Amino acid sequence: MFSHVMVGVSDLERSKKFYDAVFEPLGIGPGVDNKGRYFYISAGGVFAITLPINGEPATHGNGSTVGFRVTSAEQANAWHAAGVANGGEAIEDPPGQREGGPYLAYLRDPDGTKLCALCMPG
């Protein structure tokens, strides 16, 4: 259904450092510059960051979450640790298995966008 997700950021290079770090544990290379935007390309889709083209401040969507599929709890933990070490904020419960459900890890990026790494059990 989706081809890509793009989020607005207020400092492109600060956000590139953050996203390069959180995508590295997922096996996704550094962002590729295309006309002043950075694109992270994987077999599962494309994630991109940009300064808002309308010149207004970047804001996060209240109630919105961008989720990334990971293959293990260890990969989710590495993703989370990389995010915290590179300007992200740990939010919600600590990374872990939810009762009877998936393994989840939550972060906010440097501009407040809510992110989640999710690994299904089994």
Side-chain angles (χ1 to χ4, degrees), residues 12-32:
L12 202 55
E13 294 308 315
R14 176 185 71 177
S15 293
K16 181 182 185 306
K17 178 182 176 197
F18 172 83
Y19 282 106
D20 283 357
V22 298
F23 287 138
E24 190 276 329
L26 308 186
I28 300 169
V32 176

Side-chain angles (χ1 to χ4, degrees), residues 37-103:
R37 297 175 176 155
Y38 287 105
F39 290 83
Y40 298 85
I41 302 165
S42 76
V46 176
F47 182 84
I49 58 175
T50 184
L51 296 173
I53 61 173
N54 66 1
E56 296 293 322
T59 60
H60 62 277
N62 188 24
S64 300
T65 302
V66 178
F68 300 101
R69 183 178 303 128
V70 296
T71 59
S72 66
E74 294 77 19
Q75 193 177 45
N77 291 340
W79 174 90
H80 191 268
V84 171
N86 286 277
E89 177 188 357
I91 59 169
E92 308 228 352
D93 292 332
Q97 187 81 36
R98 301 313 191 251
E99 187 175 326
Y103 191 97

